[in-house]
């Protein structure tokens, strides 16, 4: 077939190769519609080749001393740091988030890479006393094999590094299938791995659809771990399919994160936190605040501040440094937010601001920052993930009511409370059923050295980031060394009857 100027390939077993399908899909800029490049529409056979390469590479990669694996990751971190300006700009063009946020996404990738490279010299196990004399007992972390890394569009650099870096430093190998909306950033990351000297087959990238590449990864018996960030529906399918070959499944799914604002809160500070959490990245963060649970007594004051500030946000192409809110990722995402505005209206909520497309001569997928007012706790806009620049203001009576409303949804990623009352803050920490809670800050801005993940339908109990991530990519081996030179049995077998 005829190929466009910027035609990219898969990377399998240390070589850049076309898909055997010979087909490509197009990657476009969501702010302008401009073509960014075309990428292979890979097949099951391409996926099998990548898994075979990763499987073969695992035999030697697992035996590399971890500090040596880490040296390569440190080099990757340096290359990411050196290329931060270029990666940032490309991300804004490919994904749409404004330059400062794209820079933050790249920075999170750099931080995670350094952090996990550091694990190459830690990866602590336990040594414990043994029951018998002349016996030694310890535990060590062991890798599992090939990891399928399936990533979303919203953090094109940060999320792949959250998954790839702990997987690799612990001795696993990977097949990476990035979102078809952001294949270029993924490609650039893999180029950096290659440049840093990662041995062939340790990381492979296969572009293409979930129904082909993704599905094959879920079924392939040589894939031992699947790490997936995306929707609840797909996550359930991943878990179900992976169960047939007893894979370890790590899921990072939806959110319906709430910020509570109590009547003693600093309303200006709260309004700033809400704005940033609801409309940053055009609301396309798993951690975005799509609910604000506000004490009746301060409802009007907070609503007025939010509307005024939301209307001052500048919408447009994220390459323009004056712009605060970029486009949504694609037409389907834009349609979904607009559908929810219709639902909010039908359910009897107020549309305090926004609630419509933003055009103003721009071609992209823009939606006005939107606030639904006087939302009742069980309305659909109060319970379903929207993943766009829209948030629901839900009035509440007191702290108990606020916590009950917050916990009423099926997700449990991130939560926040604005209050000056230390007792209320600690009750919220204890009772908000989420994996992350912020006090006097919005719901976004998780740091990479603490566990990231959520309760309920947000996931299946695993965590990314911090040392908790190591649990996803390793399993424990307990080791006993008997240096007595004779049969000692064990304490339980030496008891008088
Ligand atoms: C996500 O939205 O999937 O806490 C990740 C934050 C970022 C990561 C978000 N550090 O908002």
């Amino acid at each position: 077939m005829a190929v466009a100027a910027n035609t990219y390939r898969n990377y399998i077993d240390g070589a850049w190769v076309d898909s055997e399908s010979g087909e490509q899909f197009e990657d476009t800029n969501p702010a302008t519609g401009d073509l960014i490049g075309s990428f292979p529409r890979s097949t099951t056979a391409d996926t099998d080749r990548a898994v075979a390469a990763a499987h073969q590479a695992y035999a030697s990669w697992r035996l590399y001393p971890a500090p040596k694996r880490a040296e390569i990751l440190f080099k990757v971190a340096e290359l990411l740091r050196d290329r931060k300006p270029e990666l940032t700009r490309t991300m804004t063009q490919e994904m749409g988030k404004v330059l400062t946020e794209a820079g933050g996404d790249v920075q999170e990738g750099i931080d995670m890479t350094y952090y996990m490279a550091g694990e190459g010299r830690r990866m602590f196990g336990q040594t414990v006393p043994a029951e018998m004399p002349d016996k030694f007992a310890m535990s060590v972390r062991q890798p599992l094999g090939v990891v399928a890394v399936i990533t979303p569009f919203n953090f094109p650099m940060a999320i792949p590094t959250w998954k790839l870096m702990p997987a690799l430093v612990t001795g696993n190998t990977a097949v990476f299938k990035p979102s078809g909306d952001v294949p270029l950033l993924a490609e650039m990351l893999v180029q950096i791995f290659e440049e840093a000297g990662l041995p062939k087959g340790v990381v492979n990238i296969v572009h293409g659809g979930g129904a082909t590449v993704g599905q094959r990864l879920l079924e392939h018996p040589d894939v031992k771990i699947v790490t997936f960030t995306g929707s609840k529906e797909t996550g359930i399918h991943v878990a179900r399919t992976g169960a047939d070959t007893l894979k370890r499944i790590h899921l990072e799914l939806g959110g319906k994160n709430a910020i509570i604002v109590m009547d003693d809160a600093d309303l200006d500070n709260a309004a700033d936190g809400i704005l940033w959490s609801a409309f940053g990245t055009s609301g396309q963060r798993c951690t975005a605040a799509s609910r604000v649970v506000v004490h009746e007594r301060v409802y009007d004051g907070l609503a007025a501040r939010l509307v005024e500030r939301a209307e001052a946000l500048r919408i447009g192409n994220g390459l323009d440094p004056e712009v605060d809110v970029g486009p949504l990722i694609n037409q389907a995402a834009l349609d979904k937010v607009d559908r929810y505005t219709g639902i909010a209206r039908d359910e009897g909520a107020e549309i305090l601001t926004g609630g419509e497309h933003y055009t103003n001569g721009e071609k992209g997928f823009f939606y006005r920052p939107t606030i639904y007012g006087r939302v009742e706790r069980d309305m659909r806009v109060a319970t379903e993930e929207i993943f766009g620049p829209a948030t629901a203001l839900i009035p509440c009576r007191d702290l108990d009511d606020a916590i009950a409303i917050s916990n009423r949804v099926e997700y449990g990623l991130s939560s926040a409370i604005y209050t000056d009352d230390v007792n209320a803050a600690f009750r919220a920490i204890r009772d908000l059923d989420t994996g992350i809670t912020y006090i006097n800050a919005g719901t976004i801005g998780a740091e990479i050295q603490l566990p990231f993940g959520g309760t309920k339908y947000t996931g299946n109990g695993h965590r990314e980031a911090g040392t908790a991530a190591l649990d996803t990519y390793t399993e424990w081996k307990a080791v006993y060394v008997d240096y007595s030179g004779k049969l000692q049995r064990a304490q339980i077998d030496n008891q008088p009857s």
Side-chain angles (χ1 to χ4, degrees), residues 318-351:
L319 285 182
D320 176 350
E322 300 288 297
V323 161
D324 301 300
V325 180
L328 285 140
I329 189 67
N330 54 33
Q331 186 67 45
L334 187 67
D335 292 346
K336 183 174 178 193
V337 190
D338 201 43
R339 207 162 50 241
Y340 272 103
T341 294
I343 292 168
R345 214 174 258 127
D346 293 347
E347 285 183 315
E350 298 166 2
I351 313 293

Short mmCIF file of all heavy atoms in Angstrom, two decimals, residues 318-351:
data_model
loop_
_atom_site.label_atom_id
_atom_site.label_comp_id
_atom_site.label_asym_id
_atom_site.label_seq_id
_atom_site.Cartn_x
_atom_site.Cartn_y
_atom_site.Cartn_z
N GLY A 318 -3.61 23.41 22.78
CA GLY A 318 -2.70 23.39 23.93
C GLY A 318 -1.31 23.91 23.63
O GLY A 318 -0.55 24.19 24.56
N LEU A 319 -0.95 24.06 22.37
CA LEU A 319 0.38 24.61 22.05
C LEU A 319 0.45 26.10 22.35
O LEU A 319 1.53 26.65 22.50
CB LEU A 319 0.70 24.40 20.55
CG LEU A 319 1.06 22.99 20.10
CD1 LEU A 319 1.38 23.00 18.61
CD2 LEU A 319 2.23 22.41 20.88
N ASP A 320 -0.72 26.73 22.44
CA ASP A 320 -0.76 28.16 22.76
C ASP A 320 -0.60 28.30 24.28
O ASP A 320 -1.44 27.82 25.04
CB ASP A 320 -2.12 28.71 22.29
CG ASP A 320 -2.33 30.16 22.67
OD1 ASP A 320 -1.52 30.71 23.46
OD2 ASP A 320 -3.32 30.74 22.20
N PRO A 321 0.47 28.95 24.73
CA PRO A 321 0.71 29.02 26.19
C PRO A 321 -0.38 29.75 26.96
O PRO A 321 -0.47 29.64 28.18
CB PRO A 321 2.06 29.74 26.30
CG PRO A 321 2.38 30.25 24.95
CD PRO A 321 1.51 29.59 23.93
N GLU A 322 -1.23 30.50 26.26
CA GLU A 322 -2.33 31.21 26.93
C GLU A 322 -3.52 30.29 27.23
O GLU A 322 -4.42 30.66 27.97
CB GLU A 322 -2.86 32.34 26.02
CG GLU A 322 -1.83 33.38 25.64
CD GLU A 322 -1.49 34.24 26.83
OE1 GLU A 322 -2.39 34.93 27.32
OE2 GLU A 322 -0.31 34.20 27.28
N VAL A 323 -3.53 29.12 26.62
CA VAL A 323 -4.70 28.24 26.73
C VAL A 323 -4.66 27.43 28.03
O VAL A 323 -3.61 26.94 28.45
CB VAL A 323 -4.77 27.31 25.49
CG1 VAL A 323 -5.66 26.11 25.74
CG2 VAL A 323 -5.29 28.09 24.29
N ASP A 324 -5.83 27.31 28.68
CA ASP A 324 -5.94 26.51 29.92
C ASP A 324 -6.51 25.13 29.66
O ASP A 324 -6.18 24.18 30.35
CB ASP A 324 -6.90 27.21 30.91
CG ASP A 324 -6.43 28.60 31.28
OD1 ASP A 324 -5.31 28.71 31.81
OD2 ASP A 324 -7.18 29.57 31.02
N VAL A 325 -7.45 25.02 28.72
CA VAL A 325 -8.17 23.76 28.51
C VAL A 325 -8.08 23.37 27.03
O VAL A 325 -8.54 24.11 26.16
CB VAL A 325 -9.66 23.90 28.92
CG1 VAL A 325 -10.40 22.59 28.70
CG2 VAL A 325 -9.77 24.32 30.37
N GLY A 326 -7.49 22.23 26.77
CA GLY A 326 -7.34 21.73 25.40
C GLY A 326 -8.55 20.93 24.96
O GLY A 326 -9.59 20.92 25.63
N PRO A 327 -8.42 20.24 23.85
CA PRO A 327 -9.54 19.45 23.32
C PRO A 327 -9.72 18.13 24.05
O PRO A 327 -8.84 17.70 24.80
CB PRO A 327 -9.10 19.18 21.88
CG PRO A 327 -7.61 19.11 21.98
CD PRO A 327 -7.22 20.14 23.01
N LEU A 328 -10.83 17.47 23.79
CA LEU A 328 -10.98 16.06 24.17
C LEU A 328 -10.25 15.21 23.14
O LEU A 328 -9.85 15.70 22.09
CB LEU A 328 -12.47 15.71 24.25
CG LEU A 328 -13.08 16.31 25.51
CD1 LEU A 328 -14.45 16.87 25.24
CD2 LEU A 328 -13.13 15.29 26.62
N ILE A 329 -10.11 13.94 23.43
CA ILE A 329 -9.24 13.12 22.60
C ILE A 329 -9.84 12.80 21.23
O ILE A 329 -9.11 12.72 20.25
CB ILE A 329 -8.82 11.82 23.34
CG1 ILE A 329 -7.73 11.07 22.58
CG2 ILE A 329 -10.02 10.90 23.61
CD1 ILE A 329 -6.42 11.76 22.51
N ASN A 330 -11.14 12.65 21.15
CA ASN A 330 -11.73 12.29 19.85
C ASN A 330 -13.23 12.59 19.85
O ASN A 330 -13.79 13.03 20.86
CB ASN A 330 -11.45 10.80 19.50
CG ASN A 330 -11.90 9.86 20.61
OD1 ASN A 330 -12.88 10.12 21.29
ND2 ASN A 330 -11.17 8.76 20.80
N GLN A 331 -13.84 12.35 18.73
CA GLN A 331 -15.26 12.67 18.56
C GLN A 331 -16.13 11.89 19.55
O GLN A 331 -17.07 12.43 20.12
CB GLN A 331 -15.67 12.33 17.11
CG GLN A 331 -17.09 12.75 16.76
CD GLN A 331 -17.28 14.26 16.73
OE1 GLN A 331 -16.44 14.96 16.17
NE2 GLN A 331 -18.33 14.76 17.35
N ALA A 332 -15.78 10.63 19.79
CA ALA A 332 -16.60 9.81 20.70
C ALA A 332 -16.58 10.40 22.11
O ALA A 332 -17.61 10.43 22.80
CB ALA A 332 -16.09 8.37 20.71
N ALA A 333 -15.42 10.88 22.52
CA ALA A 333 -15.30 11.47 23.87
C ALA A 333 -16.11 12.75 23.95
O ALA A 333 -16.79 13.03 24.96
CB ALA A 333 -13.83 11.74 24.18
N LEU A 334 -16.07 13.53 22.89
CA LEU A 334 -16.84 14.78 22.84
C LEU A 334 -18.34 14.48 22.88
O LEU A 334 -19.09 15.10 23.65
CB LEU A 334 -16.49 15.51 21.53
CG LEU A 334 -17.04 16.91 21.33
CD1 LEU A 334 -16.41 17.86 22.35
CD2 LEU A 334 -16.74 17.40 19.92
N ASP A 335 -18.76 13.52 22.10
CA ASP A 335 -20.18 13.15 22.08
C ASP A 335 -20.65 12.66 23.44
O ASP A 335 -21.76 12.94 23.87
CB ASP A 335 -20.43 12.02 21.06
CG ASP A 335 -20.22 12.50 19.63
OD1 ASP A 335 -20.17 13.72 19.41
OD2 ASP A 335 -20.09 11.63 18.73
N LYS A 336 -19.76 11.93 24.15
CA LYS A 336 -20.14 11.38 25.45
C LYS A 336 -20.41 12.50 26.45
O LYS A 336 -21.42 12.47 27.16
CB LYS A 336 -19.02 10.46 25.95
CG LYS A 336 -19.34 9.77 27.25
CD LYS A 336 -18.28 8.77 27.65
CE LYS A 336 -18.61 8.14 28.99
NZ LYS A 336 -17.48 7.40 29.55
N VAL A 337 -19.54 13.49 26.51
CA VAL A 337 -19.77 14.60 27.46
C VAL A 337 -21.07 15.30 27.13
O VAL A 337 -21.88 15.61 28.02
CB VAL A 337 -18.63 15.64 27.43
CG1 VAL A 337 -18.78 16.61 28.60
CG2 VAL A 337 -17.28 15.01 27.46
N ASP A 338 -21.28 15.53 25.85
CA ASP A 338 -22.49 16.25 25.46
C ASP A 338 -23.75 15.45 25.78
O ASP A 338 -24.77 16.01 26.19
CB ASP A 338 -22.42 16.58 23.96
CG ASP A 338 -23.34 17.74 23.62
OD1 ASP A 338 -23.36 18.72 24.40
OD2 ASP A 338 -24.05 17.66 22.61
N ARG A 339 -23.63 14.13 25.63
CA ARG A 339 -24.76 13.26 25.98
C ARG A 339 -25.08 13.41 27.48
O ARG A 339 -26.23 13.48 27.88
CB ARG A 339 -24.40 11.81 25.66
CG ARG A 339 -25.57 10.93 25.35
CD ARG A 339 -25.20 9.65 24.62
NE ARG A 339 -24.12 8.89 25.22
CZ ARG A 339 -22.95 8.63 24.63
NH1 ARG A 339 -22.72 9.07 23.41
NH2 ARG A 339 -22.01 7.94 25.25
N TYR A 340 -24.03 13.50 28.30
CA TYR A 340 -24.26 13.65 29.74
C TYR A 340 -24.89 15.00 30.08
O TYR A 340 -25.65 15.13 31.04
CB TYR A 340 -22.98 13.40 30.54
CG TYR A 340 -22.85 11.91 30.86
CD1 TYR A 340 -21.98 11.10 30.15
CD2 TYR A 340 -23.64 11.32 31.83
CE1 TYR A 340 -21.89 9.73 30.41
CE2 TYR A 340 -23.57 9.96 32.10
CZ TYR A 340 -22.69 9.17 31.39
OH TYR A 340 -22.62 7.83 31.65
N THR A 341 -24.58 16.01 29.28
CA THR A 341 -25.24 17.30 29.52
C THR A 341 -26.74 17.14 29.28
O THR A 341 -27.57 17.64 30.06
CB THR A 341 -24.63 18.39 28.61
OG1 THR A 341 -23.29 18.59 29.03
CG2 THR A 341 -25.40 19.69 28.71
N GLY A 342 -27.09 16.41 28.23
CA GLY A 342 -28.50 16.14 27.96
C GLY A 342 -29.15 15.36 29.09
O GLY A 342 -30.27 15.67 29.53
N ILE A 343 -28.41 14.39 29.61
CA ILE A 343 -28.93 13.57 30.71
C ILE A 343 -29.14 14.44 31.96
O ILE A 343 -30.17 14.36 32.64
CB ILE A 343 -27.96 12.40 31.00
CG1 ILE A 343 -27.98 11.41 29.83
CG2 ILE A 343 -28.30 11.70 32.31
CD1 ILE A 343 -26.86 10.36 29.87
N ALA A 344 -28.17 15.32 32.22
CA ALA A 344 -28.28 16.21 33.39
C ALA A 344 -29.53 17.06 33.28
O ALA A 344 -30.30 17.21 34.24
CB ALA A 344 -27.04 17.10 33.48
N ARG A 345 -29.75 17.61 32.09
CA ARG A 345 -30.92 18.45 31.85
C ARG A 345 -32.21 17.64 32.06
O ARG A 345 -33.11 18.06 32.77
CB ARG A 345 -30.84 18.97 30.42
CG ARG A 345 -31.39 20.35 30.23
CD ARG A 345 -31.14 20.85 28.81
NE ARG A 345 -30.04 21.80 28.72
CZ ARG A 345 -29.01 21.69 27.89
NH1 ARG A 345 -28.90 20.66 27.07
NH2 ARG A 345 -28.06 22.62 27.89
N ASP A 346 -32.24 16.45 31.46
CA ASP A 346 -33.43 15.60 31.58
C ASP A 346 -33.71 15.19 33.02
O ASP A 346 -34.86 15.01 33.42
CB ASP A 346 -33.27 14.31 30.75
CG ASP A 346 -33.24 14.60 29.27
OD1 ASP A 346 -33.59 15.74 28.88
OD2 ASP A 346 -32.83 13.71 28.49
N GLU A 347 -32.64 15.03 33.79
CA GLU A 347 -32.83 14.61 35.18
C GLU A 347 -33.21 15.77 36.09
O GLU A 347 -33.45 15.58 37.27
CB GLU A 347 -31.53 13.96 35.70
CG GLU A 347 -31.28 12.56 35.15
CD GLU A 347 -30.02 11.92 35.74
OE1 GLU A 347 -28.98 12.62 35.81
OE2 GLU A 347 -30.07 10.75 36.11
N GLY A 348 -33.19 16.97 35.55
CA GLY A 348 -33.61 18.13 36.33
C GLY A 348 -32.48 18.89 37.00
O GLY A 348 -32.73 19.75 37.85
N ALA A 349 -31.24 18.61 36.62
CA ALA A 349 -30.13 19.40 37.18
C ALA A 349 -30.06 20.74 36.44
O ALA A 349 -30.58 20.88 35.35
CB ALA A 349 -28.82 18.63 37.02
N GLU A 350 -29.38 21.71 37.07
CA GLU A 350 -29.17 23.00 36.40
C GLU A 350 -27.86 22.94 35.62
O GLU A 350 -26.93 22.26 36.04
CB GLU A 350 -29.07 24.12 37.45
CG GLU A 350 -30.33 24.29 38.27
CD GLU A 350 -30.10 25.17 39.51
OE1 GLU A 350 -28.95 25.66 39.71
OE2 GLU A 350 -31.06 25.34 40.28
N ILE A 351 -27.81 23.63 34.50
CA ILE A 351 -26.53 23.76 33.79
C ILE A 351 -26.00 25.15 34.16
O ILE A 351 -26.46 26.15 33.62
CB ILE A 351 -26.70 23.64 32.25
CG1 ILE A 351 -27.58 22.45 31.86
CG2 ILE A 351 -25.33 23.61 31.56
CD1 ILE A 351 -27.03 21.08 32.14
#
